[in-house]
Amino acid sequence: MSDLVPAWWRDAVIYQIYPRSFADANGDGIGDLPGIRSRLPYLRDLGVDAVWLSPFYLSPQADAGYDVADYRTVDPLFGSVEDARGLVADAHDLGLRMIVDLVPNHSSDQHVWFQQALAEGPGSPLRARYHFRDGRGPQGELPPNDWPSIFGGPAWTRVADGQWYLHLFAPEQPDFNWEHPAVADEFRTILRFWLDLGVDGFRIDVAHGLVKESGLPDIGHDTSWHLLDVGESPCFDRDGVHDIYRSWRAILDEYPGERIAVAEAWAPTLSRVAAYVRPDELHQAFNFSYLGTAWEAGAQRAMIDASLAAMSAVGAPTTWTLSNHDVVRHTNRLMQAHEGEVAGKRPAAVDEAAGLRRARAASLLLLALPGSAYLYQGEELGLPEVVDLPPEVRQDPAFHRATGQDGYRDGCRVPIPWSGTQAPYGFGPEGGPSWLPQPDSWAGLSVAAQDGVPGSTLTLYRDALALRRKVFAGDDLTWLDSPAGVLAFERGGDFRCTVNMSGAPVTLPVPGSQLIASGPITVEDGVAVIPADTTVWWSL
Ligand code: GLC
């Protein structure tokens, strides 16, 4: 693979694979690394630059692999370290880069360090690698502070000897104590393990959470929250995290080929997010502020401007994303009454045709913006959120903790339909299981059903990604005056993007030749009629 493209990541399109739901080679109903390997040519043909793999490490799967028991072992559910090595090598042969997830905020409660911490008892140095405390109240029967778990309930669980341990997520995910030098040492060697194996970078899970305010003080006010709503908090976005990322950047820079890291950092403001991507820290941070922006022209334009300004202030590229494994798919989310909220809301059924039309328009806008774009598997097929999964098949730990803010994430994790007329639609062997049921309506959304079909969502994404490689140079963006509810901007002097968010068709002078449109438009006598929820790219 070529290392010659300088700063390849600054405008890269990076495709997120959620391994358990992508492709199942061994027929156990759960996707795996050999399955991904067999589908790499699909990703090359789609036209993405890189792949981000959600965790595939040894894990009891209490949070679908975000509870890691051994950071250097692949869970047998997904394959082996040799499969991972082969996957990275195959990806490189196809010109794709491979980014893996790193989960440094917490381990699994089955991690050997946590098991040692439990066995050694209070006061033991091995306990100090996590946050163990005595409880409050006469018998220590109350949690040590008022912190809530993101998944609902208190962030503390009491162990048999009476002490409590901290878990910002599920009880099966104890938080590491990053003030302990062994933790930092361990993660530096984990980084090197995967870099030596050939990965091109890391997505840093809960990057804003590693360092807690010393003394673990109470929050002291309403503590029901969602990650994005967290303002100033003793649990998140402490200045100390930046020292960790500086040390990681030094390691990444030792390796050839521009290895990168992208932060999942839910900081309260864009400028706090930008701190994670200063020149000596990480390369990119997810733009959750954009993800949570309503489908409304004024709000979109303001957020695009604010995002570009915040990141350019530190010399970093902006990132754009509309879907991932934690949020309601944007086919549904952009149609919901609370569309401006990222997650933590029960997904609603929407008119699927209208939702898809809007999602396609949003995706074509996203792909026209300067910076790097993150796509989530299945969005290129226009998959809707599955809103009617029965409780007995759901596996999101937040769902089962009932009051969790991040609940209901199973509906965006339903396995990908590849081919055929019956579940599992080529996700695994014919007649085989899939860990979440796929809707009957997905036969028409499979890769095979859309492949080469003019107007299909897959064709739209393939064409847009191919054009993106040809059309864009530089990261300028100039807004044009346009009717209410319509966004129009130009790039590079010869490209224009028009987005109709007004809710009604608009009639505009044709500015040039149409490159691509997210839905049918009519052009006659120099006038274009652009229906509601439609985006058009023009060559000027
Ligand atoms: C991140 C992941 C999410 C996981 C959580 C705890 O937010 O994206 O899926 O549940 O961290 O690791």
Side-chain angles (χ1 to χ4, degrees), residues 18 52 54 63 66-67 101 103 105-106 151 169 173 203 205-206 208 227 264 266 324-326 396-397 406 409 413:
Y18 194 65
W52 147 36
S54 281
D63 184 20
Y66 282 96
D67 48 319
D101 223 303
V103 189
N105 180 67
H106 45 263
F151 288 162
F169 293 88
Q173 294 168 296
R203 176 263 190 191
D205 189 62
V206 196
H208 57 313
L227 279 170
E264 187 212 22
W266 300 79
N324 66 35
H325 67 293
D326 289 330
D396 183 352
D406 242 4
R409 298 176 299 174
R413 299 176 176 179

